[in-house]
Amino acid sequence: MAGLAVALTLGAGAGVVAATRPGEPAAAPAVPVTVTVTAEAASAPTVTVPAPPVTSGRPAVASLVDRFADGTYLVGTEIPAGSYRSPGPAPGGNGHCYWARLRPEGASKIVADALTTGAARFTARKGEYVQVAGCEFSRS
């Protein structure tokens, strides 16, 4: 009796829907995954999932960035400490720019934050996290 083989490939935008609450970073783009399922008459189904490299989509420690957009970043590891500014909300977005400086732990994690419709700026300190939504910041 012949076996059955099914292959399914999921890539970015292939019917995957993600939702976020206001102030939360947008979901990272989907990583393409191929799943192969085979079933032979005399054996149980076998599932093979090739393991793509796991990355956060962010730079390694050795290459900090001076420009970033939606996401949460560890200051001193993913972005350098310093002053950052944004001209305002991203074109085609919802018209708002949100930023927050966050403690790495504790009951109240927000050190400072703002929701703006215009230009914004903040100073990030090593060891904190910075969260950004709806705009792009560059080091000033």
Side-chain angles (χ1 to χ4, degrees):
M1 187 179 248
L4 170 68
V6 178
L8 171 65
T9 301
L10 297 175
V16 178
V17 178
T20 59
R21 294 185 186 121
E24 287 185 354
V31 175
V33 175
T34 301
V35 178
T36 304
V37 180
T38 60
E40 297 296 326
S43 66
T46 302
V47 177
T48 305
V49 180
V54 178
T55 63
S56 68
R58 300 206 178 103
V61 175
S63 62
L64 302 180
V65 296
D66 288 334
R67 189 173 168 157
F68 55 91
D70 293 358
T72 302
Y73 305 88
L74 178 58
V75 180
T77 300
E78 296 173 312
I79 63 170
S83 295
Y84 290 89
R85 65 179 171 192
S86 173
N94 66 5
H96 292 90
C97 173
Y98 176 77
W99 65 265
R101 290 177 38 226
L102 308 170
R103 289 182 186 88
E105 54 192 46
S108 176
K109 291 189 173 208
I110 297 175
V111 174
D113 69 338
L115 178 65
T116 68
T117 57
R121 87 181 299 137
F122 63 84
T123 300
R125 292 174 179 81
K126 186 175 181 177
E128 293 179 337
Y129 285 88
V130 169
Q131 185 177 54
V132 173
C135 48
E136 180 177 275
F137 280 86
S138 58
R139 197 160 180 212
S140 53

